[in-house]
Structure formats: C-alpha cells, structure tokens
Amino acid sequence: MSFAYLQCIESRCRLRQNPKRDSYRCSACGGLLDVKYDFDAFDPAGLREIWHRRRLSGEPIDRSGVWRFRELIPFVGPEDRIISLSEGSTPLVGTRGAGYWAGPVHLTIKHQGNNPTGSFKDLGMTACITRASSRNVRMVACASTGNTSSSMAAYAARAGIRALLFVPYRQISAAKLAQALDFGAIVVEVGDTFDEAFQLLREIAPELDLYLVNSVNPFRIEGQKTIVAEMLEQRAWRPPDYIVVPGGNLGNASAIGKALQELLELGFIEKVPRVVVVQAEGANPFYRTLAEGSADLIPVSEPNTQATAIRIGRPANWKKARRVLEWTGGFCESVTDEEILEAKRVLAADGVGCEPASAATVAGVRKLCRAGKIERHADVIAVLTGNQLKDTDYIMRHRSGTEENRQRLSVEPTLEALRRALERALAVPA
Ligand SMILES: *Cc1c(COP(=O)(O)O)cnc(C)c1O
Ligand SMILES: [Zn+2]
C-alpha cells in the first residue's frame, strides 16, 4: 500500500507530520503543508491501462475523473466513504479563431466549467470533503470568491456535513451565491474583499471547531492534481509545451505543478510543460512579487477586477506556486480587464463560453506570445476554470444595453418596426 504523510513546504524546515493531523499549517514553523506519498512501485504502462479500462466501468468511483486516478491520491483508506458527484472527465476542446488570435499557437481548451457545480473547484472538493467525512467532521467552512462556496456547499450536502461560507459583501456573482443557498449552506457576507473574509474566518475557526476547506487545505490540492493525468491521457500522454491557468489564491497552479512532478518521478512523462499563471492587473500580487524578485509576497491591498474569481490580493499558496514556476521554467503574466473581455469575446466566437477569470488565460497567452516568451505555434493548453453561466451579469453588462450594441434589440411589435430594427442590426457584419 502507498503511504501518505504531511510535510512542511518551507525548505529550512521540511518537518514531516502525522497525516492524522487536521491542521493545514506546520506545527513547528507555521508553513503550508504538502500531502506526500511513499508510492508503491508503479508500472506506468499497467496503470495507464487500468485507468483507461475504468472509463468503461459503471462504478461511481471509476466514473469520477478524480477517483479514476486514485493511485495518485492514496490518502483514503479502504473503509473511507468517497464523496463524489462524478466530477472531472471534462473535455479538451480545440479552438479555431482563438488560437490564431492568441498567437498563432496551437491552443486547446481544458474546460473545467463542465463540472457538477461548474468550476474546477469540484476536483479539489471531492478529495477534501472525502477527507473531512473520514475524520467525522461536523461543519466545514471556507471563504470564497464564489466557486469554492458553490462546490463546498454541494459536496457538504452530499456528505451530510453542515456548510458555512464567508464571502465578501456584494462581491460574488448572483449565480454562485444562488448555488450555495440552493445546496443549503449558511452564507455570511462579511468584509470588502476575499482576503478580509478569509482572515476573519481563520480567526474564528478554532472557536467554532470549523474544518477549513480553502486551498490552504492540502487535500484540496490532491484532488485538483488529477486534471493533469486526465488531460495527458486525453492526449495519449503527450505533454503540451505550456499549461496556462488563471491565478487567484494559486491553489490550481500549485496542484498542476505537483501533479507534473509526481508523474515525472513515477515515470509517466519525460517532458514537463511550463506552467503559466495569468493574473488580472488589478489583483496581481504574484506577478508583482516575481517581477520584483521579492523574497516576500507583495500583496495588493485593494484588489480590483471584474474577473471576481481571481480578485485576491494576498494569495495563500504563492510559495507553492512560485516553486512550480521555478521548477517548470514557467512564468506569470498580468492582463487588464479589457484584455480579458476581448479574450472572452474571441473564445465565444469559437463557441466556447467561460467566466471572465478563465478567459484571462487566453489573454495572457496572447501577451506572452507578442513578447516572444511563448513561441509561435507552441502547443498550449488553457485551463478554463469556470462555466459561462457563473457570471451572467458580466455578460449582460458587456453585451447589451449600450448604444452601439446591436445584439440585443427591443422592438415594437409591428412588422414595420421589426424590419427597420433588423435592417440596422444586420447591416453590421457579424
Ligand atoms: C478559484 C478560481 C480561480 C482561481 O484559482 P486559484 O486556485 O485560487 O488560483 C480561477 N478561476 C475560477 C473560475 C475560479 O473559480
Ligand atoms: Zn515547518
């Protein structure tokens, strides 16, 4: 049996700790923790075959795009109940105009919006709530820019665990809030930013005996990791040149890097793609920190972007993510809200919908290509993190209502008026 333990990520500490501990901080130095494994000796070819065969199975645990790869996340015991909603197994979608616009590069979309609650958070949540359930946790909590809430609420409901959410006041999209309410969570609107809500939650958590499922919880990272195995399998195990993700709290970038490292060590791949993180200009602490070569995080005290999922000024996982960029030779880019809007339009023109934060990836690829950092015709996978319907307010703001916008017409119900309106609207080439 493979064996799991927790280890501090700080290079001067590296303390190993008991995997039964439920803290997400090192007991010696307060650093973040990694879940580490002494893996069984694997035969990669044999395991690929097993994973492939599970796709034909009707067992829920095999249908899940996370648990199908369970040999990579062996922290659950045989007696543990797996809390799954059939997450993962999301499509890889080729692009048409978007790849040309962004490069030209060979751009493929890994669409994480096709998950049970509509974002990649479900991959981490199935792992984390499974862990919480195995520890007999009674109440889980998180602070969130929205998608973690939706996801936590769903998986907690499934596990029969109470769910408590802290979200910044009037800052998360109506759809995400509605999902959390629908799944029965208690929602506390508090603070002006994610960072503020998160800080308050951390302070009150011990008093209320809350189990935190923010991405500082290393078991979240373990579930999110499996996206890499899945995308590589979809490409017959041929790694791309780049994997691009939007960066908020930087859990996703950390997870992708951890997966690449383990898959390399276990002999599944020989080449490692560069991991690229894209932040919004108004919320780009990681970009600033790397650009300055600063040893400490340079936080953004008033993060601001319409891409609310990445509106974070003090990313908890920045050290894990920095490690990933250094190890893979990747980089971080920063894009404006206008660039995000344009990228979202270009994706939409390919028939690919997503939420604004996700479109930051493609905007970032374009910028990096123009700067010569990503080479023309590179093989790029952009991870679109969230579903189009997560933020319809954003779409309505940008796609209807303005004077020159001829997409949304309101017409008096006569043929005459209809003819006039359509003549005007259709005069503009598509
Ligand atoms: C959470 C989220 C992000 C940011 O991911 P991190 O792991 O926090 O960096 C990006 N896009 C969407 C849609 C998200 O929900
Ligand atoms: Zn430590």
Side-chain angles (χ1 to χ4, degrees), residues 119-121 147 224 246-252 309-310 355 357-358 385-386:
S119 83
F120 80 86
K121 300 295 197 302
N147 281 331
Q224 283 171 210
N249 222 6
L250 299 171
N252 209 15
I310 50 174
E355 68 171 281
S358 312
T385 43

Side-chain angles (χ1 to χ4, degrees), residues 8 10 13-15 26 28-31:
C8 176
E10 296 293 336
C13 177
R14 294 266 179 239
L15 184 69
C26 171
C29 77

Side-chain angles (χ1 to χ4, degrees), residues 4-183:
Y5 58 94
L6 296 170
Q7 186 171 34
C8 176
I9 70 161
E10 296 293 336
S11 46
R12 54 192 154 61
C13 177
R14 294 266 179 239
L15 184 69
R16 276 194 182 210
Q17 9 226 313
N18 184 340
K20 293 278 179 270
R21 271 189 77 219
D22 277 327
S23 174
Y24 47 84
R25 293 273 172 201
C26 171
S27 58
C29 77
L32 290 181
L33 301 174
D34 273 329
V35 182
K36 302 275 253 181
Y37 306 102
D38 282 331
F39 282 112
D40 287 339
F42 281 149
D43 160 27
L47 208 46
R48 281 178 195 176
E49 180 61 33
I50 290 171
W51 291 341
H52 191 72
R53 238 183 297 127
R54 284 183 189 151
R55 286 180 18 189
L56 304 174
S57 157
E59 287 296 315
I61 179 173
D62 293 338
R63 313 269 337 153
S64 161
V66 171
W67 300 102
R68 190 156 65 82
F69 300 102
R70 52 193 172 268
E71 286 78 5
L72 298 177
I73 48 172
F75 65 85
V76 290
E79 68 290 353
D80 293 336
R81 182 164 68 107
I82 294 208
I83 312 296
S84 169
L85 292 165
S86 205
E87 51 290 319
S89 303
T90 60
L92 270 186
V93 186
T95 59
R96 292 151 50 94
Y100 186 78
W101 178 82
V105 290
H106 186 81
L107 179 68
T108 311
I109 299 303
K110 177 68 172 164
H111 211 318
Q112 296 297 87
N114 288 39
N115 264 298
T117 76
S119 83
F120 80 86
K121 300 295 197 302
D122 293 341
L123 271 60
M125 209 52 74
T126 183
C128 190
I129 299 292
T130 292
R131 162 80 179 184
S133 164
S134 77
R135 309 284 301 150
N136 296 315
V137 163
R138 305 162 64 99
M139 185 150 37
V140 290
C142 71
S144 166
T145 56
N147 281 331
T148 304
S149 329
S150 318
S151 184
M152 184 186 84
Y155 284 85
R158 184 72 176 197
I161 300 175
R162 293 193 76 180
L164 177 61
L165 300 172
F166 282 34
V167 297
Y169 187 71
R170 298 285 145 86
Q171 299 284 350
I172 79 167
S173 82
K176 297 176 187 178
L177 188 58
Q179 283 183 291
L181 294 170
D182 203 23
F183 291 125

Side-chain angles (χ1 to χ4, degrees), residues 39 87 131 156 169 180 219 257-258 375 402-404:
F39 282 112
E87 51 290 319
R131 162 80 179 184
Y169 187 71
F219 293 95
K258 186 167 190 281
E375 57 283 9
T402 58
E403 195 42 46
E404 75 278 24

Side-chain angles (χ1 to χ4, degrees), residues 365-411:
V365 171
R366 177 177 163 95
K367 209 162 167 183
L368 288 164
C369 229
R370 299 201 152 187
K373 284 196 173 168
I374 289 183
E375 57 283 9
R376 289 162 65 90
H377 307 295
D379 186 355
V380 180
I381 295 185
V383 179
L384 297 192
T385 43
N387 191 285
Q388 181 183 36
L389 297 178
K390 285 286 194 172
D391 194 350
T392 52
D393 292 346
Y394 176 95
I395 299 171
M396 300 312 277
R397 266 200 313 279
H398 293 287
R399 288 284 197 172
S400 70
T402 58
E403 195 42 46
E404 75 278 24
N405 188 306
R406 305 212 178 149
Q407 256 192 289
R408 191 182 184 201
L409 312 178
S410 168
V411 184

